[in-house]
Amino acid sequence: DGGITQSPKYLFRKEGQNVTLSCEQNLNHDAMYWYRQDPGQGLRLIYYSQIVNDFQKGDIAEGYSVSREKKESFPLTVTSAQKNPTAFYLCASSISESTDTQYFGPGTRLTVL
Amino acid sequence: AQSVTQLDSQVPVFEEAPVELRCNYSSSVSVYLFWYVQYPNQGLQLLLKYLSGSTLVKGINGFEAEFNKSQTSFHLRKPSVHISDTAEYFCAVRLRNDYKLSFGAGTTVTVRA
């Protein structure tokens, strides 16, 4: 079964802690993306990566970091520098950066206690 | 930069009635247009997309959308909704020479019996 998996589905963290969200795809897609979703605001782009070992900041990269060591994996770390990290995080992928359609994973809901 | 406006944040509708979700965008250059659906606590699923050609686009689950270049709109319609259409719907726009998807704030559709 091809697709994008994100884990965990729900994540709780204490203030001041870093936390890493997982995103894996077996679609053989080159490009991967991380979005943050807040109620009433749609989706905002955090980071994207078009190839292994390369990534760029999106609109709201502050307080986040990523890595792209393997084509199928694009983990997102929410650092303690992120002022308001409680949100729903969505990972997406596409065949290449220039391809029209992005496909989304099921998301991870992060709550900071 | 392009922006996307979804004119209705909430749309209540009775089962078997028609529904229209409005989306306007601002861009001076050619764009690709998308509608995604999100069920509670899930990722986004592509409903339909406009790349070029016929301005009337048919998607999954009986949805269709019409691209109107002069009015910079891409409204989504369904002639008869089901309870299972209860979800949040997002309009998204991408410039033809860019990777970035810009999303509207979303429209929540609630279908009642």
Side-chain angles (χ1 to χ4, degrees):
Chain A
D1 234 2
I4 303 172
T5 57
Q6 291 186 242
S7 61
K9 189 168 178 65
Y10 299 96
L11 188 56
F12 298 89
R13 122 180 168 194
K14 293 181 181 178
E15 270 193 59
Q17 289 181 338
N18 292 357
V19 63
T20 298
L21 282 60
S22 167
C23 177
E24 304 276 333
Q25 53 98 1
N26 60 4
L27 301 168
N28 201 32
H29 286 175
D30 290 313
M32 297 186 74
Y33 311 81
W34 273 105
Y35 292 90
R36 171 184 170 132
Q37 184 179 16
D38 296 282
Q41 292 193 42
L43 279 70
R44 293 179 289 168
L45 183 66
I46 305 172
Y47 268 98
Y48 77 103
S49 166
Q50 59 182 113
I51 55 171
V52 174
N53 293 322
D54 182 64
F55 47 83
Q56 286 80 41
K57 293 181 179 180
D59 297 324
I60 56 165
E62 186 175 349
Y64 300 98
S65 65
V66 293
S67 63
R68 187 84 186 278
E69 297 176 3
K70 299 187 294 182
K71 185 176 185 178
E72 56 272 18
S73 179
F74 190 41
L76 173 75
T77 297
V78 184
T79 75
S80 56
Q82 168 50 233
K83 301 286 184 220
N84 186 20
T86 294
F88 191 50
Y89 291 87
L90 288 157
C91 178
S93 71
S94 62
I95 295 175
S96 71
E97 188 181 273
S98 62
T99 299
D100 53 321
T101 303
Q102 292 182 18
Y103 297 91
F104 285 80
T108 292
R109 186 167 298 281
L110 173 64
T111 302
V112 174
L113 303 172
Chain B
Q2 68 275 24
S3 67
V4 184
T5 302
Q6 292 184 239
L7 292 105
D8 307 290
S9 59
Q10 307 263 354
V11 173
V13 59
F14 286 107
E15 194 174 20
E16 297 183 9
V19 70
E20 178 180 77
L21 309 185
R22 297 178 291 168
C23 174
N24 285 91
Y25 67 94
S26 64
S27 174
S28 58
V29 298
S30 295
V31 296
Y32 296 135
L33 296 155
F34 305 82
W35 275 100
Y36 285 88
V37 61
Q38 184 181 35
Y39 300 102
N41 290 312
Q42 295 187 25
L44 274 66
Q45 179 183 4
L46 182 68
L47 273 179
L48 48 78
K49 59 188 177 185
Y50 172 77
L51 306 180
S52 64
S54 172
T55 57
L56 183 63
V57 179
K58 294 193 183 297
I60 62 171
N61 301 341
F63 284 92
E64 64 180 31
E66 186 156 20
F67 170 53
N68 187 317
K69 187 175 182 179
S70 62
Q71 297 188 6
T72 60
S73 67
F74 190 53
H75 300 334
L76 180 72
R77 301 184 184 97
K78 185 170 181 177
S80 176
V81 296
H82 303 291
I83 298 287
S84 59
D85 292 319
T86 294
E88 190 160 19
Y89 293 80
F90 291 95
C91 181
V93 170
R94 180 176 161 265
L95 297 180
R96 294 195 172 209
N97 59 351
D98 195 5
Y99 67 91
K100 183 180 172 183
L101 268 179
S102 295
F103 284 86
T107 298
T108 300
V109 172
T110 304
V111 181
R112 298 173 178 142

